[in-house]
């Protein structure tokens, strides 16, 4: 959620790449970040409640519990895809010490690891929702990561820790 808030603050409040990066590296929560977090939490709770009671059956699960398991798995797939396919922005700022390792992470997160993350997410999705839905969700996640990376390239010149988060 920290990355969501920082990205909302930067993209919502910055007019140039430099402004966006400066705002995103600020440790304080801004108006856009607070609004994004509020909408995210309300939306998440509402969607999980709408899904109803959990029913656990291999390949045919339903409800909020299985949705949480699959979304957690698929959301972890996005980082290795973005790290592997996009340049990492040297962000500087007060949080630099926490994220500077990402400059080398591009070389540590190899394609083998990205494929492993993809297969792991695919297995979880198929195990929970069955083959067709599981494969569809995994492919959709990769496609959305691709478009998200293209957007980051356009506004930031690459990805950074807050954007990946």
């Amino acid at each position: 959620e920290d990355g969501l808030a920082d990205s909302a603050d930067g993209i919502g409040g910055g007019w140039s790449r430099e402004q966006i990066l400066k705002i995103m590296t600020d440790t304080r929560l801004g108006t856009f970040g607070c609004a994004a977090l509020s909408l995210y939490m309300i939306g998440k709770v509402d969607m999980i409640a709408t899904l109803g009671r959990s029913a656990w059956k291999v390949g045919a699960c339903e409800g909020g519990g299985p949705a949480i398991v699959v979304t957690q798995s698929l959301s972890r797939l996005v980082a290795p895809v973005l790290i592997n396919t996009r340049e990492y922005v040297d962000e500087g700022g007060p949080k630099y010490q926490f994220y500077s390792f990402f400059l080398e992470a591009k070389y540590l997160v190899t394609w083998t690891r990205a494929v492993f993350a993809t297969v792991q997410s695919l297995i979880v999705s198929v195990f929970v929702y069955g083959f067709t839905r599981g494969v569809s969700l995994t492919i959709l996640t990769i496609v959305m990561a691709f478009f998200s990376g293209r957007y980051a390239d356009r506004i930031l010149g690459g990805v950074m820790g807050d954007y990946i988060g």
Side-chain angles (χ1 to χ4, degrees), residues 33-148:
C34 185
L37 283 178
S38 297
L39 291 173
Y40 168 76
M41 292 305 293
I42 291 167
K44 183 176 181 178
V45 169
D46 185 52
M47 282 187 260
I48 291 170
T50 301
L51 291 172
R53 188 179 178 120
S54 299
W56 298 90
K57 182 179 178 188
V58 175
C61 296
E62 294 179 7
I68 291 171
V69 171
V70 171
T71 55
Q72 290 298 309
S73 175
L74 291 173
S75 69
R76 295 331 184 252
L77 170 59
V78 174
V81 169
L82 288 176
I83 290 170
N84 243 302
T85 59
R86 305 293 173 203
E87 291 300 317
Y88 192 81
V89 177
D90 187 4
E91 58 199 76
K95 295 190 270 186
Y96 178 76
Q97 63 189 15
F98 299 110
Y99 294 117
S100 62
F101 72 91
F102 271 116
L103 295 171
E104 287 82 35
K106 182 170 185 84
Y107 306 104
L108 298 173
V109 181
T110 62
W111 276 109
T112 304
R113 290 180 184 206
V115 168
F116 178 78
T118 303
V119 170
Q120 180 184 6
S121 294
L122 179 63
I123 289 170
V124 170
S125 298
V126 168
F127 185 77
V128 172
Y129 287 129
F131 184 79
T132 303
R133 286 175 69 189
V135 170
S136 299
L137 287 169
T138 305
I139 290 171
L140 180 62
T141 300
I142 293 169
V143 168
M144 293 305 293
F146 172 78
F147 284 113
S148 175

